[in-house]
Structures are given as C-alpha cells and as structure tokens.
Amino acid sequence: MTPRQLLLTVCLFLCAQLAHSGPRIERWQTSAGTRVLFVEDHSLPIIDLQIDVAAGAARDAAGKEGVAGLTRSLIDLGADGLDETQIANRLADIGARLSGGVDLDRASLTLRTLSMVDKRTSAFELLRAIIAGPTFPAAAFEREKARSLAALKEALTRPDAIASKALWATMYPAHPYGRQATPESLTALRRDDVLAFHAAHYAARSATIAIVGDLSRAEAETLAERLSGGLPVAAAVGELPQPQLPAAGEERIAHPAAQAHLLIGMPALKRGDPDFFPLAVGNYSLGGGGFVSRLVKEVRDKRGLAYSVHSYFLPLQQLGPFQIGLQTHKGQVAEALQVTRAVLDEFLAQGPSEAELLAAKQNLVGSFPLRLDSNRKILENVAMIAFYDLPLDYLDRYPENIERVTTAEIQAAFARRLPVTHLVSVVVAGD
C-alpha cells in the first residue's frame, strides 16, 4: 500500500467512526394497516411528517396518463368545507407548511409544524381533513389541468425534456414506467377520473407514515392512528410488474437546438437490492463523482466534448434506470458517443482501480452525515425506508456497507446489472 493509499484508508476509518450514528427508528403498524416509522427528537420544537401512498405516475392507467399527478396537485386544494385559500390561511396562521409531490412510485404529503399542542393539533387535524375527504373542486380541477397541459406543452419544446421522455419510453416500452402524460391524455381527463384514482389508490393499506421530531412514541402512535383512520378503506394496491429489458438501440430526434442532448440507459436496479452498494461505489468512479469521475476526465477534460457528463442509478420499486447524460456540439455527437461508450465498456471490463475505490469510499462515507444533518433530511430518508420497506438499520449500516465493497464486487454487480446488449441511446438535436 502506498503512503497515499494508507492516508486515504486512515481518513476513511476516521470518517466512518463519525458517521456510524444514524437516527433511532421505531416501527409499528396502525389498526388500519398503515406502516409507521418514527424518530423521536426533542432538540427543536418542530415535527416533520410525511405520508406516502402507492399512487405515483406508474399507477396511471393506459389512456389516463397524467391522472396521478393531477390527483396529487388537487388533493390539498379543498377539504372539510375549506377552499384552497382558507386552507393556506389556516396553515399560515399556525406557522405550518404543507408540501409534497409525486414521482413514479409514490405520491407524498409532507407537513412541518411547531410542536406546541395547540399548533400541532390544528395542523394535524387539517392534514387529516385533507387526506380523509379532499373535495377536488371543479374549478380547481379545470385550472390545474390547464396548468399541467401548458407545462407539458412547454416541456415538449425543450430538447432535454424530449430526450428524457424518449429515453424512458425506450427503456420501458411495455411497462408503466415508460408510460407518460401527453397533451391528448391530459386533455381527455375528467374530474371523475381523479375521484376514481383517489378512491382506488389513496388507501390506508397502501400508505406509509414517517414522523420525525418533538413527539413521544405514545403521541406519535395516537397521531398515526388518527391519520391512517382517515384514509379511504380500499384494498392495498399490488406491486408493479417487472419490466422486460429492452433490446439495444439508438433513437435520433431532430431539433433546432444548438447543443445535442445524449442519453444512454437501461432498467437496472430495485430498491433493497444488495447490488446497490457496489453500484453506488462504482458509479462514483464512473460518472457520479464530478470532476474525479472517469467520464468527466475522458469526455470533458481530455477532449472538451461536453461541459458536464454524469451517470447515476435510480432504484425504484421495480428495476429503476441506470443513466448517462451529456450535451455536446452537433458536430461532435459521434465522437462523444464513442468515447462515452468506450469509458463504460472499459469500466465494465476492469472495474475501478484500488485508488478509485478508496476515493469513492472516502467521499461517500465522509459526506454521509450531511445527508442526516436536519430533521427534514432525516424525514426524507425515513420516509424512503418506510415506503420501500427497507431494514430499520439501513442508515446505521450504510457506511459499513459502503466500506466493505471491493473492486471485484463492483465489477460483478455492473456485469449483472448492465448487460450492454440492453443499453439504449437517445440523441436529440444531433442532426
């Protein structure tokens, strides 16, 4: 071992010792069947809470693409005799904030409130009213549909959005992950579609609740029981189907943009897969580590083919994608693609060097505490653990799991998850 490698090892060990202290997570299930994860923390008079339901965009039925997003955007715009202005005013009066969103797997409502009894009681009762009986006002439905339609039409003029949508459709040609809202599908949606989607998907048994903050376990149990009791009673939604891997190919889309947008990817990784840690460490060296990654060195630094280039894994309930992305001059598309594929092929064949492995571990373990340095970040992680039913010691063991990765495990995991016969490419504005 060289002196530099020895120094990196010592630093990694010290960082790991500091990082082995995840929050203490408690778990139970409410009588309505909702999983609850709770972190008790009295350091600030604040409570953060997130409700996730299996109502992401992948739950859109064929011909109803966009209904999941529209349902989430409308759910807090009317409830219990209150309109959206009255809900907003009530939240402002008690200093609470309600937010959230929707991705492919889940729809989320996130509440931050002060923990004083009068404040939190009002905030939690308002949240319960919203999830128990959203009214989906007709005027708000028409307005939000028009807003979504305008946003989608604007996105479809941008080469980055066009490339992303084309890549997902190519990676998942017969799977809900590849199904996306179109102007036609959004235009065809009716308010009844939103009501039906909410009734079928916002169910207690399909929900998880994550709570972090200034609350006792007993108080958290009472709160979770009341919230989950307000959710509709419906059968839990089933798992999404497993996607079939696409055949390798390349799609080219004409566009007048000055820069060509290149994306390469394929379905690769589920949440909870043991290959996650070797892939996370390996990807840092490949394209996730910024200026120290191989892709940046070869594509940007040595050849000036792009200002930036990245790669990442996005684990989902079913196989989420691996993706490489960059922009380059139209005249350099062929060379950029060739260099990018060559870097990937070399990494698949040889894996990272020992020096790259140490650097990746040092960064991932050393920066890990920054992922837990606020209640909001802890809530994000705990909500993810709850929704994907990951082990309660996931955060405690994260540094340890990163540390134990070897170069051989990285090479084996990349070979399993990225067979190049299934890699697809999309080039927009590359003519």
Side-chain angles (χ1 to χ4, degrees):
M1 181 177 288
T2 66
R4 180 175 178 274
Q5 289 174 327
L6 178 61
L7 177 60
L8 284 172
T9 303
V10 172
C11 291
L12 181 59
F13 174 78
L14 293 175
C15 289
Q17 299 311 302
L18 295 173
H20 278 284
S21 56
R24 179 173 176 269
I25 303 173
E26 299 179 65
R27 176 164 57 193
W28 67 89
Q29 184 167 304
T30 70
S31 58
T34 301
R35 286 200 308 273
V36 184
L37 266 61
F38 171 56
V39 175
E40 187 171 349
D41 180 357
H42 300 286
S43 58
L44 292 172
I46 292 173
I47 299 168
D48 289 284
L49 183 149
Q50 181 165 319
I51 299 177
D52 289 314
V53 290
R59 301 290 176 176
D60 287 347
K64 303 292 183 185
E65 293 86 356
V67 70
L70 201 50
T71 303
R72 172 58 192 86
S73 67
L74 285 163
I75 196 168
D76 54 357
L77 298 185
D80 196 28
L82 303 174
D83 62 23
E84 59 187 295
T85 301
Q86 292 168 318
I87 290 174
N89 288 340
R90 208 172 264 197
L91 289 167
D93 289 344
I94 55 179
R97 278 181 285 179
L98 185 63
S99 58
V102 62
D103 59 24
L104 281 170
D105 287 338
R106 52 182 169 162
S108 307
L109 287 101
T110 304
L111 177 70
R112 163 165 278 206
T113 179
L114 296 168
S115 61
M116 286 75 86
V117 173
D118 60 330
K119 304 292 186 187
R120 77 188 193 210
T121 300
S122 298
F124 293 149
E125 284 305 305
L126 184 56
L127 177 61
R128 186 181 190 279
I130 288 170
I131 63 173
T135 54
F136 300 112
F141 169 80
E142 294 299 337
R143 186 194 66 211
E144 291 303 309
K145 188 173 90 166
R147 182 178 296 174
S148 298
L149 188 58
L152 177 59
K153 287 181 176 178
E154 188 279 331
L156 292 176
T157 67
R158 291 186 281 109
D160 56 334
I162 294 170
S164 177
K165 287 179 177 294
L167 182 72
W168 279 86
T170 307
M171 290 190 296
Y172 300 94
H175 189 271
Y177 286 163
R179 211 155 48 211
Q180 302 166 62
T182 65
E184 293 74 22
S185 71
L186 274 177
T187 301
L189 290 177
R190 299 290 177 261
R191 180 171 172 270
D192 283 349
D193 296 318
V194 170
L195 295 173
F197 185 86
H198 176 264
H201 294 86
Y202 282 68
R205 293 180 184 176
S206 299
T208 56
I209 297 176
I211 308 169
V212 176
D214 186 20
L215 211 60
S216 70
R217 164 71 184 255
E219 291 168 331
E221 286 186 8
T222 301
L223 168 62
E225 197 68 28
R226 181 151 179 76
L227 289 176
S228 65
L231 285 164
V233 178
V237 298
E239 287 228 337
L240 294 166
Q242 183 169 330
Q244 299 296 313
L245 297 183
E250 180 179 306
E251 180 178 2
R252 298 225 172 197
I253 301 173
H255 192 279
Q259 289 279 307
H261 292 247
L262 282 61
L263 296 176
I264 299 172
M266 64 174 288
L269 186 66
K270 291 176 62 172
R271 280 284 178 194
D273 192 302
D275 275 341
F276 171 78
F277 292 100
L279 294 176
V281 177
N283 185 62
Y284 183 88
S285 304
L286 173 62
F291 291 107
V292 303
S293 75
R294 287 193 187 184
L295 283 170
V296 169
K297 288 177 181 174
E298 295 296 328
V299 175
R300 171 193 156 117
D301 296 350
K302 289 185 180 178
R303 297 172 178 84
L305 293 172
Y307 179 76
S308 67
V309 54
H310 64 269
S311 66
Y312 65 84
F313 289 90
L314 178 62
L316 294 170
Q317 185 185 83
Q318 291 298 338
L319 294 177
F322 163 78
Q323 183 177 316
I324 297 175
L326 68 147
Q327 298 174 39
T328 190
H329 187 274
K330 289 185 175 185
Q332 299 174 324
V333 168
E335 183 181 4
L337 274 175
Q338 185 274 325
V339 172
T340 300
R341 288 299 300 264
V343 171
L344 177 60
D345 289 344
E346 182 182 25
F347 195 85
L348 289 170
Q350 301 176 2
S353 67
E354 290 297 332
E356 287 175 322
L357 178 68
L358 279 172
K361 289 181 179 180
Q362 184 183 34
N363 180 278
L364 293 172
V365 173
S367 63
F368 182 67
L370 298 177
R371 295 174 55 181
L372 302 171
D373 63 359
S374 70
N375 279 9
R376 189 182 300 278
K377 292 181 182 177
I378 292 172
L379 180 74
E380 291 172 359
N381 282 281
V382 173
M384 181 267 293
I385 292 169
F387 186 79
Y388 291 105
D389 202 18
L390 300 178
L392 285 188
D393 62 354
Y394 178 83
L395 297 175
D396 288 326
R397 299 192 63 187
Y398 183 93
E400 169 191 335
N401 285 326
I402 293 291
E403 288 173 50
R404 65 173 51 168
V405 170
T406 67
T407 54
E409 289 172 341
I410 292 172
Q411 193 173 350
F414 270 74
R416 278 193 295 272
R417 299 302 171 189
L418 297 182
V420 295
T421 51
H422 298 290
L423 275 172
V424 298
S425 304
V426 170
V427 180
V428 174
D431 48 305

